[in-house]
Amino acid sequence: MELYYNIVSPPCQSVMLVAKKLGVTFNVKEVNPHVAEVREEIRKYNPQHTIPTFIEDGHVIFESYAIAIYLVEKYGKDDALYPKDAKVRSVVNQRLFFDNGVMFPSAIAYANCLLKQKKQPTQEMLDKLTKALGLLEGFIKERGSFVAATHLTIADICLLSSVTLLGGLKYDLEAYPAIKAWVGKVTGELPDYAAFRKELDEKSLAYIATL
């Protein structure tokens, strides 16, 4: 299994953390997708030339949620991370779509404004992010400790990567106690998370220095 990947990318983080939870290892190709030659290399497999891009025996998957689902369905010892029960799975899917359409876009817009554009986010950006975090806070309170079920699912792992992005920017989460407790709960269930986070922090600082 090969994975075109960069730890600074939240979608890549999601795939790697799901794999770690499953005990799956990749032949990791750590790349910078902003480099023209790298884009052309990835384009051979993925017309969107995005990361993560996953390849197994000639089978190519891109988009982090699709990769995560594939890994769980093929390599999971059970269905805990992506439950087969239709009602529970529908909630997991809803939370994944929420991350894709609401949480991650609002978090990455905030981050890009600060880091790439070197300016303060607009009020509209702040409002969207506040709304997204408020919804996530509500989802966690509704379920107890996790976002979609009574236990860890891939929805928690994917949403964790979006929230981790904000944490790296020192975004104040004091107004969201359920989210803060949830971060601790989720990271506590992920193998070798401390080492993963150390690498993420180091490479994020190096990346920011190049902007």
Side-chain angles (χ1 to χ4, degrees):
M1 289 185 286
E2 295 180 341
L3 185 72
Y4 285 85
Y5 159 92
N6 192 302
I7 197 171
V8 175
S9 159
C12 289
Q13 294 164 33
S14 297
V15 170
M16 188 58 77
L17 290 172
V18 168
K20 283 179 176 292
K21 184 65 177 176
L22 293 170
V24 170
T25 57
F26 302 114
N27 174 16
V28 175
K29 296 178 181 279
E30 190 165 6
V31 298
N32 180 349
H34 301 298
V35 175
E37 308 90 85
V38 172
R39 288 200 301 272
E40 288 309 307
E41 172 66 20
I42 299 174
R43 200 192 301 272
K44 295 176 185 177
Y45 311 103
N46 171 0
Q48 293 179 248
H49 54 79
T50 54
I51 55 172
T53 293
F54 169 87
I55 307 168
E56 183 181 33
D57 298 326
H59 180 60
V60 181
I61 312 173
F62 34 99
E63 299 296 343
S64 57
Y65 309 101
I67 299 169
I69 290 170
Y70 174 84
L71 292 174
V72 172
E73 291 190 322
K74 184 166 184 180
Y75 294 103
K77 294 183 175 133
D78 53 45
D79 70 336
L81 286 177
Y82 194 51
K84 292 179 181 176
D85 180 273
K87 288 184 178 178
V88 181
R89 179 170 286 195
S90 72
V91 179
V92 174
N93 287 338
Q94 187 278 321
R95 304 309 196 236
L96 290 174
F97 298 150
F98 165 75
D99 185 48
N100 184 52
V102 179
M103 188 69 249
F104 179 62
S106 64
I108 197 67
Y110 176 85
N112 285 340
C113 192
L114 286 174
L115 300 177
K116 293 184 177 181
Q117 299 173 31
K118 310 292 186 184
K119 61 183 183 181
Q120 289 302 306
T122 65
Q123 189 59 50
E124 181 181 6
M125 287 180 184
L126 293 172
D127 289 345
K128 285 183 177 179
L129 185 53
T130 298
K131 181 178 180 181
L133 288 167
L135 288 166
L136 180 57
E137 179 85 354
F139 295 154
I140 297 165
K141 288 179 177 178
E142 175 190 331
R143 296 289 156 176
S145 298
F146 298 97
V147 299
T150 57
H151 58 271
L152 183 78
T153 68
I154 57 173
D156 294 286
I157 298 173
C158 291
L159 279 158
L160 175 71
S161 298
S162 296
V163 174
T164 298
L165 174 61
L166 297 173
L169 296 170
K170 310 300 183 187
Y171 186 91
D172 187 0
L173 291 172
E174 285 302 318
Y176 308 99
I179 292 178
K180 290 185 69 178
W182 165 81
V183 168
K185 186 85 170 174
V186 174
T187 57
E189 294 207 18
L190 298 174
D192 303 317
Y193 185 78
F196 179 86
R197 184 57 196 255
K198 183 174 183 291
E199 180 186 358
L200 171 58
D201 290 343
E202 290 172 352
K203 291 188 175 177
S204 294
L205 286 173
Y207 171 72
I208 291 169
T210 68
L211 297 176

